[in-house]
Amino acid sequence: MASTAKVRPVSHASPSIGDLAARYRDVRGLTERLRGPLSAEDCQVQSMDDASPTKWHLAHTSWFFETFVLAPANPDYRPFHPDFAVLFNSYYQQVGPQHPRPRRGMLTRPTLDDVEAYRAHVDRHVLELLGRANGRSEPLSAIIELGLHHEQQHQELILTDAKHLLAANPLRPTYRATAAGAPHAKTVALRWLAHAGGVSEIGHKGRGFAFDNESPRHRTLLTPFALATRLVTNGEYLAFIEDAGYRNPALWLSDGWSTLHALDWQAPLYWERRDGAWFEFTLAGLQPLALDAPVCHVSFYEADAYATWTGARLPTEAEWEVSAAGARIEGNLLDSDRLHPVAARDGAGLQQLFGDVWEWTRSAYAPYPGYRAPNGALGEYNGKFMCNQQVLRGGSCATPASHIRATYRNFFPPNARWQFSGIRLAKDA
Amino acid sequence: MASTAKVRPVSHASPSIGDLAARYRDVRGLTERLRGPLSAEDCQVQSMDDASPTKWHLAHTSWFFETFVLAPANPDYRPFHPDFAVLFNSYYQQVGPQHPRPRRGMLTRPTLDDVEAYRAHVDRHVLELLGRANGRSEPLSAIIELGLHHEQQHQELILTDAKHLLAANPLRPTYRATAAGAPHAKTVALRWLAHAGGVSEIGHKGRGFAFDNESPRHRTLLTPFALATRLVTNGEYLAFIEDAGYRNPALWLSDGWSTLHALDWQAPLYWERRDGAWFEFTLAGLQPLALDAPVCHVSFYEADAYATWTGARLPTEAEWEVSAAGARIEGNLLDSDRLHPVAARDGAGLQQLFGDVWEWTRSAYAPYPGYRAPNGALGEYNGKFMCNQQVLRGGSCATPASHIRATYRNFFPPNARWQFSGIRLAKDA
Amino acid sequence: MASTAKVRPVSHASPSIGDLAARYRDVRGLTERLRGPLSAEDCQVQSMDDASPTKWHLAHTSWFFETFVLAPANPDYRPFHPDFAVLFNSYYQQVGPQHPRPRRGMLTRPTLDDVEAYRAHVDRHVLELLGRANGRSEPLSAIIELGLHHEQQHQELILTDAKHLLAANPLRPTYRATAAGAPHAKTVALRWLAHAGGVSEIGHKGRGFAFDNESPRHRTLLTPFALATRLVTNGEYLAFIEDAGYRNPALWLSDGWSTLHALDWQAPLYWERRDGAWFEFTLAGLQPLALDAPVCHVSFYEADAYATWTGARLPTEAEWEVSAAGARIEGNLLDSDRLHPVAARDGAGLQQLFGDVWEWTRSAYAPYPGYRAPNGALGEYNGKFMCNQQVLRGGSCATPASHIRATYRNFFPPNARWQFSGIRLAKDA
Amino acid sequence: MASTAKVRPVSHASPSIGDLAARYRDVRGLTERLRGPLSAEDCQVQSMDDASPTKWHLAHTSWFFETFVLAPANPDYRPFHPDFAVLFNSYYQQVGPQHPRPRRGMLTRPTLDDVEAYRAHVDRHVLELLGRANGRSEPLSAIIELGLHHEQQHQELILTDAKHLLAANPLRPTYRATAAGAPHAKTVALRWLAHAGGVSEIGHKGRGFAFDNESPRHRTLLTPFALATRLVTNGEYLAFIEDAGYRNPALWLSDGWSTLHALDWQAPLYWERRDGAWFEFTLAGLQPLALDAPVCHVSFYEADAYATWTGARLPTEAEWEVSAAGARIEGNLLDSDRLHPVAARDGAGLQQLFGDVWEWTRSAYAPYPGYRAPNGALGEYNGKFMCNQQVLRGGSCATPASHIRATYRNFFPPNARWQFSGIRLAKDA
């Protein structure tokens, strides 16, 4: 996602209304808990154009329910505040004008308290609506389900944007004191799992929720390949740095080499060298670099250069999805509450497919064959990001487990580094 | 001042220590009261590079006392926090490194509560020090006096920076609900007060406090001139706009014309046209434009273009000071608590000399003959701004009365508009 | 190509050395003839960072032969000038440092006369080498063949860069007086040619020359689709403009919409409206817009928005190549000497496949399955552009006929407009 | 002058028409001779926004005579080319629109040959006009005199702009092979010449030509001061560099320190260190740094920092003019044909007042008391540059001797370095 959520359901389960209300309370409540460690000031500041203030995330997700659930359901519904439609619309041009994205941090009013009241107001009305619906309303539950997945995307952004803000402070403050957990004793060996290629199907099928960009399910033709059984570690990436990886143009895409120089990249985002030792800034503050943990906060350019250095390459998104198709959705996701990637365990098959870090693919984000963006404001916007972005797969330590799946297509510009993004290698077999 | 305070006393009274403690409490207390209407979020945000967060002003003024009073007075003094020396140093390079100015708004930690505790800590130690000094310490009282004038400069900046922040919010929130007061019935006629010229003295003399840039007092040679008896009004400036003043290059300095186009200026800062009527944003929110009130928030370029349009010119700083030399320091200053310029009253002599708006002069900010910047960190920095800035005189509705005097030289770049800055005309006689 | 040529042969014919010498003379001579209408001053100036001076093109193509043919063939070869290796290296980092691209226009020395002498020197040595080789040298002929294709790419750039330069002159000077030819009486109807999809092969095969990015030939799986039988015309594109196409965000990719606003696009590059009538700047000067001629000088963003407006889409590069696989290489190419796209003629099958304008595809430029960039400086650089670019197919009115083929993959960033780039529609069948 | 000439005569001699025609031929001919060493390509390129192509200088100076002499003198006069009024107007807004300054280098048409024809055309008509005038036309001779001084300003710019262009070429080509002359054996001692201060007059008087900014002549009040008897040398400036002058913020104006960092200044413009030895680029190519020659191509910021480092200061323009009032206009001016500053000779009084380098003063460029910009296009523009610039005095090795005088006020922004600008120290006496 291009730093804010792009959403459109193409299919969904029909949970009972009671289940949906419980899920609504769960998701909305988790957002509040994620906000908990942050002061009113932390929630206010926008540390770069790509990030948003936590307060804005809190309000925007509520605006989403107000605009797409409450207003359509009740012609007499009066918005909580008439100006919020402009302040908290992200990019839905068919809904109306938007406060400029880089100036979200200027909005000291409404205050955090005001926004909390806004959330409570929206919650009350949504839950009332669900109570009245009494199980009859299929479109209603679909759009609420969508709103919840949308909010889960913003939960991840709350964490990554807060991390970026805190890292901008020379005090290197913590979001939460608990560290990610003790490092493992040694790094699991990297092995290759081969795939024979041929025609496979990818894309969403079945009745669960998915975004429109995961459809249509379609056949794709793969040449034989192999995937690395685990993610690239900090230790492996450090060897690339120490081998002058950031100074060797032969390893880099042309745009990557320019970006590296323009932004003076010398290591992943949040790495710091102090007195000869490497540290990384985490949500638990500055920590010694854990060599066996997955490398994180690298751009697509860095991921690609690293892969080139090893003689391998990044996987395509189809290779990834075909390989992940049967896997259980488990791993170091947000639910594990570690908030940082951890070292792989030994085991058969592909490890760390879900959670830890989003895995850059070599696939440019593009429409699937036969894809058509849906009509209306909600459907307006997945397709419009299908240029200049790369697909990432698998979710991260900041992704809710109920939000991720094998067909999920995340996407960011190739220079983005503030998400929990890392590297899995692939090679031709 | 170049958007933060540049200070160095060259002389001062010797008030009794008891008086100084009382004055210390007064000044520090006023800062707190000015902060009162602002939320933690309002105090956090930096709306442009030239402005600073209120929280930063609160901390920086305390850092000043800690660095230049408490630390020298007691070798065992331990700073409140070891990192504040970097975070809250503005530009004193001899003291040490500084957090980059445009990133002051990133510092969500320390929180506002932390900074209030810092202020209380500093206050306690300064007052203890004054208690111990018991009237004997001339250098101590001099540097505390300096710190208080420094803090008064930041009081004005708290108001102008907060105004800039609130104006960036489409909700156009208010700092304080009270309006500036009822407009007068009609505009007082503009008359000219002639001066015969000749050799006069300007610059600071006597025992009261003054900044180093007001010295040495020296003789200057003036040709005959006349000053307008009051400030230019909004109504008069509106006539300039309606006469296509912003579209006529013949009226503008070359740099002004470029700036006007680059920033798309069409009226003073904070003016807005809604449904054909002019409004201006004030600390009391958006208000209909008061035609008889002084025009405000204009740059030097606009002031100069307006003067050219009338066939007059701006005064030199020497003309202004010679004319103001005998005047009482009274007017619409911060003490009147209006927080906005108001219309001139009728009366003999020059009106509105002090308060309402800082008056742009045609004098570039330069050292007086014989000026030498003092040694050491405190003296390091008045001289270093003596390039590319214009002198302003007289104080504004945000300037404490005890802070201003006829010899006071304020200075800002010619494109600055967010201060309460306006226009008094002059002409050759 | 990213505004300069990226080259690497993967296979080639083995022409007799005599043929190759003749072809060498032909290609080099054409470069000179294309330069002919340009003054020394025209050849000097770089009108934007993406363009290069003609003089630079003349020298760089000679440097290519000197570096990759003459120097390896003869250890005693002394470069024409020791500094030219830096001045005229484009981006071959393994060869050595490069004069900064945006400053190519600063190089008033060597003069055009010096560069012509350089060309003559290189020609003499290459032809001598060919004379001595006497048909025995397979690697030699391969690299010379490569150098000639490289030079042909620069022939097209000489024309597009000169056009950009001349268009920047308010006098709107001409490159050559001859107009493109009389417009047709009426526009040929746009029809659709369906393709059944399924598995096909794409990529280079056989013994003729191709660049490395056209390999490996591989199977691809297509869903049924249809291609428009001709290019989109100026008249059709004008209807899009008149339907507020440039003001409707729903039609645009997000990055396209931002670019449109940042650069204030309102029509294709080189279109001008004068007194209510549309003109376009051509190499023959400003001409009335020919409504039945193909629209030209549009970006990928514009091509995509136009396609969305029609309800169709752009083709993928595989769809294009499969459709063009059997077609004869003929059309309005450089050899027709029109230097401007012309209206389609009626006829069976796909018209205008080759020549007129490069056709934007919806395919991001990416490596073919199994692609590996070759070793060494020459092979260093095709792969490195495989990010943030879109593939274009088919050649233009500035492409030599002997340079284009169905498997040829050109590529430019999605915002590029100064090439002869246009639109062919596709749709799902 | 702000990189192009700002001109308005306030008084002038009345030479006989015959003298004026001879002088016209001389000045115009010198321009051609200065152009001589430059190729058509050298004359075409604009190496930065502040510089102009030589071809543009050649045309603009002719446009000046066409617009302000030929057109007013003859209602039937037809311009040489109708578009030149836009192409070659510098900034006279009352004359009409202007081709954007930073795009002057795009104008490859008209060619250099065309511009030479333009010059010949203008010369023929001006000389015919002078022939017909037969001594009767006072306004005519005044405006032609003005045009000649204007052209002389551009003669200096041709040299400084060409130097900047040639320096941008890694070949470091020469304008002319002749070096500036053998260095002296040793540096003349720097002495101080005291002045008692008091009331003096400055500004233009008498019947000779002067620009409007030199008037009115007026009294000024000076405190006692002393001037250095010669310019600061390269050797002295090198000691400042070696004493970490560029790394010590205490020496620099605040804007200077920012500029130094933004532009990474480490030495004067055109200085280069190769293998531990210092060289400077001159119009005769790269030369070993002559330690006893005046330091050159320094900004006001560097001049001011150097003066601070020595404990002295820069002179005011009044101090300079009063000191130079009686001096003969002789020195290393353009007429000496050295094109580079040379070491001072020993002698009584102030050396190097005229020629060698323009001397930065600490005076901001401002109107003299009573100054009014004249009406009309010609008078429009001296005043409009009176902001953000510093005055320089005395002329340089690129200034014609007949162009300079003690009252002459040159002006450039404080960061400008590409003029022949240097340093004379002053101090309070």
Side-chain angles (χ1 to χ4, degrees), chain C residues 40-42 44-47 55 83 87 99 103 105-109 111-112 165-166 168-171 173-174, chain D residues 40-42 44-47 55 83 87 99 103 105-109 111-112 165-166 168-171 173-174:
Chain C
E41 290 134 309
D42 294 333
Q44 173 61 47
V45 175
Q46 180 172 27
S47 59
K55 188 171 74 178
D83 289 324
L87 296 187
H99 185 69
R103 297 182 69 73
M106 295 295 109
L107 302 173
T108 59
R109 321 281 176 91
T111 64
L112 181 56
L165 169 65
L166 297 175
N169 190 322
L171 302 178
T174 63
Chain D
E41 290 134 308
D42 294 334
Q44 174 60 48
V45 174
Q46 181 172 25
S47 59
K55 188 171 74 178
D83 289 325
L87 296 186
H99 185 69
R103 298 183 68 73
M106 294 295 110
L107 302 173
T108 58
R109 321 280 176 93
T111 63
L112 181 57
L165 169 65
L166 297 175
N169 191 322
L171 303 178
T174 63

Side-chain angles (χ1 to χ4, degrees), chain C residues 54-329:
Chain C
T54 298
K55 188 171 74 178
W56 191 90
H57 288 301
L58 296 174
H60 166 66
T61 48
S62 303
W63 165 88
F64 191 95
F65 284 108
E66 194 174 50
T67 303
F68 297 117
V69 174
L70 298 180
N74 178 3
D76 295 331
Y77 177 77
R78 285 185 48 203
F80 181 77
H81 190 293
D83 289 324
F84 285 10
V86 169
L87 296 187
F88 301 124
N89 179 0
S90 53
Y91 56 66
Y92 297 85
Q93 309 235 28
Q94 295 184 38
V95 173
Q98 303 115 43
H99 185 69
R101 177 182 183 92
R103 297 182 69 73
R104 289 177 182 166
M106 295 295 109
L107 302 173
T108 59
R109 321 281 176 91
T111 64
L112 181 56
D113 287 345
D114 296 334
V115 167
E116 294 292 1
Y118 180 36
R119 288 184 69 86
H121 170 93
V122 167
D123 287 350
R124 190 169 61 248
H125 283 79
V126 169
L127 290 169
E128 280 176 14
L129 187 63
L130 280 173
R132 287 199 302 276
N134 197 20
R136 292 161 304 177
S137 174
E138 165 63 12
L140 176 68
S141 62
I143 199 76
I144 290 176
E145 184 71 26
L146 170 64
L148 294 177
H149 280 279
H150 172 253
E151 181 133 355
Q152 289 182 308
Q153 294 183 304
H154 282 278
Q155 288 170 349
E156 180 152 4
L157 293 172
I158 285 172
L159 289 170
T160 54
D161 292 359
K163 184 172 183 177
H164 191 267
L165 169 65
L166 297 175
N169 190 322
L171 302 178
R172 300 284 181 272
T174 63
Y175 169 79
R176 205 180 60 188
T178 315
H184 290 265
K186 66 186 183 60
T187 300
V188 170
L190 185 152
R191 293 189 302 271
W192 296 93
L193 195 67
H195 188 286
V199 173
S200 299
E201 282 200 351
I202 62 171
H204 178 68
K205 72 173 173 187
R207 305 187 60 228
F209 175 87
F211 291 112
D212 65 343
N213 61 10
E214 301 167 49
S215 288
R217 186 164 175 88
H218 62 284
R219 294 192 307 153
T220 187
L221 179 54
L222 298 175
T223 39
F225 67 94
L227 285 195
T229 51
R230 62 158 172 77
L231 298 170
V232 171
T233 66
N234 283 327
E236 289 163 342
Y237 198 84
L238 187 55
F240 165 70
I241 295 176
E242 291 173 346
D243 191 37
Y246 281 77
R247 296 194 301 279
N248 182 358
L251 302 174
W252 294 76
L253 287 162
S254 179
D255 284 358
W257 189 244
S258 303
T259 303
L260 175 160
H261 281 282
L263 304 181
D264 196 23
W265 287 350
Q266 307 196 24
L269 184 65
Y270 301 139
W271 284 33
E272 288 185 52
R273 192 163 189 139
R274 296 192 171 187
D275 297 329
W278 282 103
F279 293 80
E280 65 178 328
F281 181 72
T282 74
L283 285 166
L286 200 63
Q287 302 289 341
L289 189 69
L291 295 181
D292 59 347
V295 67
C296 194
H297 297 299
V298 290
S299 64
F300 170 74
Y301 296 131
E302 288 161 299
D304 183 81
Y306 175 82
T308 299
W309 177 72
T310 66
R313 59 172 172 82
L314 299 178
T316 66
E317 64 168 326
E319 290 168 346
W320 193 97
E321 183 172 330
V322 164
S323 302
R328 281 175 59 98
I329 296 177

Side-chain angles (χ1 to χ4, degrees), chain B residues 129-141:
Chain B
L129 187 64
L130 281 173
R132 286 199 303 276
N134 198 18
R136 293 161 303 179
S137 175
E138 164 62 14
L140 175 68
S141 62

Side-chain angles (χ1 to χ4, degrees), chain A residues 57-141:
Chain A
H57 288 301
L58 296 174
H60 166 67
T61 48
S62 303
W63 166 87
F64 191 95
F65 284 108
E66 195 173 50
T67 303
F68 296 119
V69 174
L70 299 180
N74 178 2
D76 295 332
Y77 177 78
R78 287 186 46 202
F80 181 76
H81 190 294
D83 289 325
F84 285 10
V86 169
L87 295 186
F88 300 122
N89 179 1
S90 52
Y91 55 65
Y92 296 85
Q93 308 235 29
Q94 296 184 38
V95 172
Q98 302 116 45
H99 185 69
R101 177 183 184 92
R103 298 183 69 72
R104 289 176 183 167
M106 294 296 109
L107 302 173
T108 58
R109 321 280 176 92
T111 63
L112 181 57
D113 287 345
D114 295 335
V115 167
E116 294 292 1
Y118 180 36
R119 287 185 69 85
H121 169 93
V122 166
D123 287 352
R124 191 170 61 247
H125 283 79
V126 169
L127 290 169
E128 279 176 15
L129 187 64
L130 280 173
R132 286 199 304 274
N134 197 17
R136 293 161 304 176
S137 174
E138 165 62 13
L140 175 67
S141 62

Side-chain angles (χ1 to χ4, degrees), chain D residues 4 101 114 146 154 183 189 200 202 206-207 213 216 219 223 275 278 310 330 373 383-384 418:
Chain D
T4 180
R101 177 185 183 92
D114 295 335
L146 170 62
H154 283 276
S200 299
I202 63 170
R207 305 187 62 228
N213 62 9
R219 296 192 305 154
T223 40
D275 298 328
W278 281 105
T310 65
E330 61 187 11
K384 83 176 178 184
W418 91 110

Side-chain angles (χ1 to χ4, degrees), chain D residues 263-277:
Chain D
L263 304 181
D264 195 24
W265 286 350
Q266 306 196 26
L269 184 64
Y270 302 140
W271 283 34
E272 289 185 52
R273 191 161 190 142
R274 297 191 170 188
D275 298 328

